[in-house]
Amino acid sequence: MTASTSSALPLGKYLASTEKKTRDKAIKILSTFLSDPSQDAIPRSEMIKLWKGIFYCFWMSDKPLVQQALASELAEIVLTITTTTSALTFLSGFWETIVREWNGIDRLRMDKYYMLVRRFVNASFRLLIREDWDARYVEEYNKILSREGGPLNPTDTRVPSSLPFHLSDIYLEELDKAMKTSSKDSDISPTPLKPLLIPFFRLAARTNASTTSKHLQSTLIQPLLSSFSSSSEEPGDLRSKKRRRLNSGSDGEEPLYPSINANSCFDEPTSSSLSCPVLKQKILKEIFKIAGEPESRDSNRRRLYALWKEEKDDDDDDV
């Protein structure tokens, strides 16, 4: 096997080999090939074939430390690919494969695939941060997640509900981690929350599954809004002591999503970061707007309107 011959890169049988040494060598060749600027971009059809091999390469991995190392190595490929467009094609192949194969993952392997998804979400954010949240790339990334066959598509019944559940569980946590990691090396542009969150807001509004809408609200939307409220409160404000405790775990602990709270904007990453109260009001306004769209289901609309009213009333009480 060599990395210099063909853009088709026929590594499938090596990636899915029963021999760990063969699989490891195939991953190294793959990483070298994809990071070589002299190679042409892999066509989508070939990328899908390639990802089937990668999926089963990870399937064959055993022992927690081996799985963790391989998950990290695969996700880091996103950041070594020469062009951002090609990196997004690689991510597209990942998500298409994950959605297609998800229902076939057995219970004993599910945790390691949850970990793989987490690693790729983090790498995706670091890629977008590296590109200063370029609107073109953020839009393309959202299309990958929200299109038919994507994990956040609200109408595609083939998407397993556990995927958007898991994404909503980890999304803000991994965004905050990626921001913290990237800011260690250099100053980073403020994170534009609106384009990153709209796929979740639309899924919460349009999904046919009330359990999905409720889960997104309880694990992503409400924690984010609570973190904004907690960060904007005075330390001695007893009226919101309970809310701070729920948000941070106990008094005195660092609040959720400190990097998001410290360096985010609403839409344009070229603008300055906004204060938490301003971000909260803008996010609530966007939720209200999306809930009112014709595509939103009535039951979801009522739920989101109730959330909007509750959060607005809380803010009014704190004034």
Side-chain angles (χ1 to χ4, degrees):
M1 289 186 294
T2 65
S4 59
T5 55
S6 166
S7 64
L9 201 63
L11 287 175
K13 65 179 181 180
Y14 301 107
L15 288 166
S17 171
T18 57
E19 295 292 330
K20 182 179 181 300
K21 288 184 178 179
T22 303
R23 297 196 306 271
D24 290 348
K25 186 176 181 181
I27 290 295
K28 297 295 184 187
I29 291 174
L30 173 65
S31 180
T32 300
F33 177 86
L34 292 175
S35 62
D36 184 352
S38 68
Q39 296 290 348
D40 295 332
I42 298 179
R44 179 182 175 277
S45 59
E46 294 297 332
M47 185 64 78
I48 295 303
K49 294 178 185 177
L50 187 60
W51 257 109
K52 189 160 189 176
I54 297 172
F55 181 89
Y56 285 104
C57 176
F58 195 67
W59 179 283
M60 299 293 291
S61 66
D62 56 7
K63 299 180 181 178
L65 292 179
V66 172
Q67 294 164 3
Q68 292 170 25
L70 181 56
S72 296
E73 186 175 8
L74 290 172
E76 289 301 313
I77 292 176
V78 173
L79 297 164
T80 63
I81 295 175
T82 308
T83 69
T84 304
T85 300
S86 295
L88 288 168
T89 302
F90 187 70
L91 282 171
S92 178
F94 167 75
W95 282 115
E96 188 168 339
T97 302
I98 286 292
V99 171
R100 185 184 65 245
E101 303 289 345
W102 193 260
N103 282 330
I105 301 173
D106 59 79
R107 180 178 57 83
L108 296 176
R109 288 184 171 91
M110 185 56 72
D111 282 349
K112 72 176 182 180
Y113 278 97
Y114 278 141
M115 176 182 61
L116 183 66
V117 168
R118 182 184 283 272
R119 296 288 193 275
F120 268 84
V121 168
N122 186 281
S124 301
F125 285 138
R126 285 186 285 136
L127 174 70
L128 296 175
I129 290 171
R130 190 181 70 188
E131 298 301 323
D132 286 328
W133 299 110
D134 188 303
R136 297 169 300 167
Y137 299 135
V138 174
E139 181 180 5
E140 181 59 30
Y141 180 61
N142 281 347
K143 285 180 180 178
I144 291 170
L145 296 179
S146 301
R147 70 190 178 194
E148 186 175 349
L152 298 181
N153 184 281
T155 59
D156 192 339
T157 57
R158 296 171 300 175
V159 179
S161 61
S162 54
L163 262 179
F165 272 47
H166 182 54
L167 274 174
S168 70
D169 290 343
I170 67 171
Y171 209 70
L172 294 175
E173 181 183 344
E174 293 306 318
L175 173 59
D176 199 78
K177 287 180 184 177
M179 292 173 66
K180 183 177 181 180
T181 300
S182 300
S183 65
K184 290 179 180 178
D185 300 324
S186 61
D187 292 336
I188 63 174
S189 300
T191 297
L193 294 181
K194 175 185 173 181
L196 293 179
L197 295 176
I198 274 183
F200 289 93
F201 295 164
R202 287 194 172 137
L203 178 59
R206 299 178 184 182
T207 179
N208 291 324
S210 62
T211 53
T212 298
S213 182
K214 291 175 183 177
H215 190 83
L216 266 61
Q217 184 170 316
S218 65
T219 61
L220 185 141
I221 299 174
Q222 286 178 316
L224 179 63
L225 295 174
S226 295
S227 77
F228 289 152
S229 298
S230 176
S231 295
S232 63
E233 290 161 5
E234 295 296 329
D237 187 356
L238 298 180
R239 292 173 300 176
S240 299
K241 184 176 181 180
K242 179 179 179 182
R243 182 165 57 192
R244 288 200 305 274
R245 186 167 60 249
L246 290 173
N247 182 47
S248 62
S250 64
D251 289 342
E253 288 186 11
E254 186 178 67
L256 284 173
Y257 322 131
S259 296
I260 294 175
N261 290 341
N263 190 28
S264 293
C265 59
F266 183 61
D267 201 358
E268 293 293 335
T270 54
S271 62
S272 301
S273 57
L274 298 175
S275 68
C276 288
V278 172
L279 282 170
K280 181 177 180 180
Q281 291 307 312
K282 287 182 175 291
I283 292 293
L284 282 171
K285 185 176 180 181
E286 189 65 25
I287 290 172
F288 188 90
K289 175 185 173 183
I290 289 175
E293 291 175 347
E295 298 88 348
S296 298
R297 291 178 58 83
D298 287 342
S299 58
N300 298 335
R301 180 182 293 115
R302 289 193 296 270
R303 190 177 299 111
L304 291 172
Y305 280 164
L307 170 67
W308 175 85
K309 185 177 186 303
E310 179 184 354
E311 292 292 338
K312 293 286 287 185
D313 289 346
D314 282 349
D315 287 347
D316 291 341
D317 289 342
D318 289 341
V319 173

